[in-house]
Amino acid sequence: MSNPSSPASSSSSAAAQEHRLQEEETQNLHHRHHQEVAAGIVIPFPPSSSEADQAHDDKDAELSPPRCEWEFRLAATVPTTALPGASDAIGSVDFDPTGCLLATGGIARKIRMYDVASMLLLDSAGSGGARAAGPAACICAPAKLSSVRWRPGGAASSSVVGCGDYDGVVTEYDVERGVASWERDEHAGRRVWSLDYAPGAAMAASGSDDRTAHVWDPRAPSGGLATARAGGAVLCVEFDPSGAPHLAVGSADSRAVVYDVRALGRGAVARMDGHARAVTYVRWAGPGPARRVVTSAADGTHRLWEWGGASAAEAGVEVAGAREVRSYSGHASARSFVGMGVWRGAGLVASGSESNHVFVYDLRWAKPIWVHPFFASHGHGGAHGPVTTGPEQVDTGGGFVSAVAWRQGSHTDDDLNGGALVAGGSDGVLKVFTCRRRREAAGDDVAHGRLL
């Protein structure tokens, strides 16, 4: 029998006591964990190595301070031609596939077309922000226009422009003759909010107040159509620009979804839930190992989503939800359509704002990298982010930036084929900006590779 006072006995007793303490501590931790879960406070377990690897690049970008690697210049301003008291709000702007022509549409019931090169020449001549000449051509429409899109397709890519209007009609116009070539009463008189063409114009889609998105073949406008239904008015549609058979749809029920157009009846292949209010714009963010989409909503945020959509689309199964990579805020958007566009080659997002500013975000950072006051006329203009606007900073004049679009040029070119950003206002004013990557930033990209 061991003596309780012997060293061996004391060591054994101490070890047993330590073991009991460890068991009690473990039990206490489990008890506290259950209490926290019951109270709604959950302590997450460390992610698996694969999850950590997947989030590593995003975390690195998020933790680094936002910086503007671009030089923006106001190249030209086109003043409104509306009479005092008349509305000339611009609702939609779009570059043709060649980047040579720009079309605008809006409340004035006119499609105006501008020569982009002449606008950019004003900037190269050192007269940045100068007033540009009027439109090169103008087509009168029978109703207010909500969406304008150039029809792609080889040599004819700059000769046909499509539009959706407030009367629920989709019309294509022959630009050279200035007349309608065909029209479809797509949505039984309910307002068409959005129109888009697939690459090569093999398909077209429209979204409407009737809570549907229609898909049809524009080469046979009298043919049938396929329909996808939403829980609210369909406010935006866009085909995957890579040529994949995907259509992104955003609606007033605060949801965005992606369909495989080969099987609309099977339901969505990806769902994006997270916005608090109506999704007003949806744009594809460019190629990559995962499908990526940027959405914009009336909750004052843009959001970047991704999912491994290719295999799901091929299998024809519904995906529970896309992963939200990042949320972008700073602009004001609660009551009006303010426009949103993605320059896919450069990883930049532009939008308007109810504060009457143009905002540019880099997909890597949640805050804007460049902000331009739309009511000012500065050659270089704008502030380098982060800049945040709140309700107290909204322009009291009532104007706001209502439409934006990028020219999808190369982000490394030093000539007129480089990037260009156009923005239209609720006052009918149109502004064109050039954007060039700073040389030191381009050097960093070559040395380290660009993280998006």
Side-chain angles (χ1 to χ4, degrees):
M1 181 178 294
S2 301
N3 188 338
S5 61
S6 67
S9 177
S10 299
S11 175
S12 175
S13 177
Q17 183 178 7
E18 182 179 358
H19 180 68
R20 287 195 302 271
L21 289 174
Q22 289 175 350
E23 287 185 340
E24 291 175 0
E25 180 63 21
T26 301
Q27 291 175 355
N28 289 336
L29 286 173
H30 281 292
H31 179 65
R32 286 200 299 270
H33 175 72
H34 288 304
Q35 286 182 323
E36 289 165 346
V37 171
I41 306 171
V42 180
I43 301 174
F45 291 99
S48 65
S49 58
S50 60
E51 291 173 334
D53 291 342
Q54 183 180 24
H56 179 71
D57 290 345
D58 291 332
K59 289 297 183 183
D60 282 351
E62 189 70 33
L63 293 174
S64 63
R67 61 184 183 274
C68 187
E69 300 173 348
W70 301 84
E71 180 182 353
F72 292 87
R73 287 182 60 94
L74 176 59
T77 300
V78 181
T80 180
T81 57
L83 297 174
S87 177
D88 195 20
I90 298 174
S92 181
V93 292
D94 190 42
F95 287 98
D96 81 323
T98 68
C100 297
L101 293 176
L102 171 69
T104 70
I107 299 299
R109 308 186 184 198
K110 295 178 181 179
I111 303 173
R112 298 182 176 110
M113 284 150 284
Y114 300 86
D115 179 68
V116 177
S118 64
M119 292 178 167
L120 300 185
L121 282 173
L122 291 175
D123 181 60
S124 63
S127 55
R131 291 195 173 192
C138 184
I139 298 174
C140 293
K144 298 175 182 178
L145 303 177
S146 53
S147 182
V148 173
R149 284 291 180 272
W150 290 94
R151 176 174 170 173
S157 61
S158 298
S159 62
V160 177
V161 64
C163 64
D165 66 29
Y166 280 37
D167 291 343
V169 178
V170 174
T171 309
E172 280 193 354
Y173 288 92
D174 185 310
V175 173
E176 293 183 0
R177 296 188 297 155
V179 297
S181 55
W182 65 259
E183 66 179 32
R184 293 179 66 117
D185 187 358
E186 283 299 301
H187 300 275
R190 302 297 297 274
R191 182 181 306 184
V192 173
W193 285 111
S194 181
L195 170 70
D196 194 41
Y197 293 97
M203 288 177 289
S206 56
S208 168
D209 262 342
D210 67 357
R211 301 187 175 192
T212 66
H214 290 178
V215 179
W216 74 95
D217 186 345
R219 298 165 297 183
S222 59
L225 53 85
T227 300
R229 301 191 179 278
V234 176
L235 306 178
C236 47
V237 294
E238 184 168 274
F239 286 99
D240 187 338
S242 71
H246 296 149
L247 175 70
V249 175
S251 54
D253 62 355
S254 72
R255 172 178 288 179
V257 297
V258 175
Y259 293 97
D260 184 332
V261 295
R262 300 168 298 183
L264 285 176
R266 295 185 182 180
V269 298
R271 294 185 180 275
M272 288 152 275
D273 295 307
H275 284 292
R277 299 186 64 186
V279 176
T280 50
Y281 300 94
V282 57
R283 300 286 184 260
W284 293 86
R291 303 291 183 183
R292 303 202 304 165
V293 165
V294 179
T295 58
S296 181
D299 59 5
T301 67
H302 311 309
R303 297 176 191 239
L304 174 64
W305 311 82
E306 70 175 20
W307 74 99
S311 59
E314 292 172 0
V317 298
E318 182 174 335
V319 175
R323 182 176 76 94
E324 182 180 327
V325 178
R326 192 164 294 114
S327 178
Y328 308 89
S329 61
H331 62 287
S333 174
R335 304 177 303 275
S336 307
F337 287 80
V338 298
M340 189 270 282
V342 177
W343 185 5
R344 294 183 294 274
L348 299 180
V349 178
S351 75
S353 174
E354 291 170 3
S355 64
N356 214 11
H357 292 73
V358 180
F359 282 73
V360 173
Y361 298 84
D362 189 305
L363 284 175
R364 295 172 290 178
W365 298 298
K367 292 301 179 181
I369 61 169
W370 183 79
V371 181
H372 178 83
F374 203 69
F375 44 83
S377 297
H378 305 296
H380 292 271
H384 299 286
V387 178
T388 303
T389 60
E392 72 281 358
Q393 296 168 285
V394 174
D395 178 38
T396 57
F400 60 94
V401 178
S402 52
V404 298
W406 293 98
R407 185 172 71 167
Q408 300 291 337
S410 168
H411 67 279
T412 58
D413 287 347
D414 291 325
D415 56 18
L416 294 182
N417 292 321
L421 170 66
V422 62
S426 60
D427 56 359
V429 174
L430 189 70
K431 293 191 177 186
V432 179
F433 304 88
T434 59
C435 36
R436 297 285 184 270
R437 192 159 179 77
R438 300 179 189 275
R439 294 188 181 277
E440 60 270 22
D444 290 343
D445 280 356
V446 172
H448 304 293
R450 191 156 190 261
L451 174 67
L452 291 181

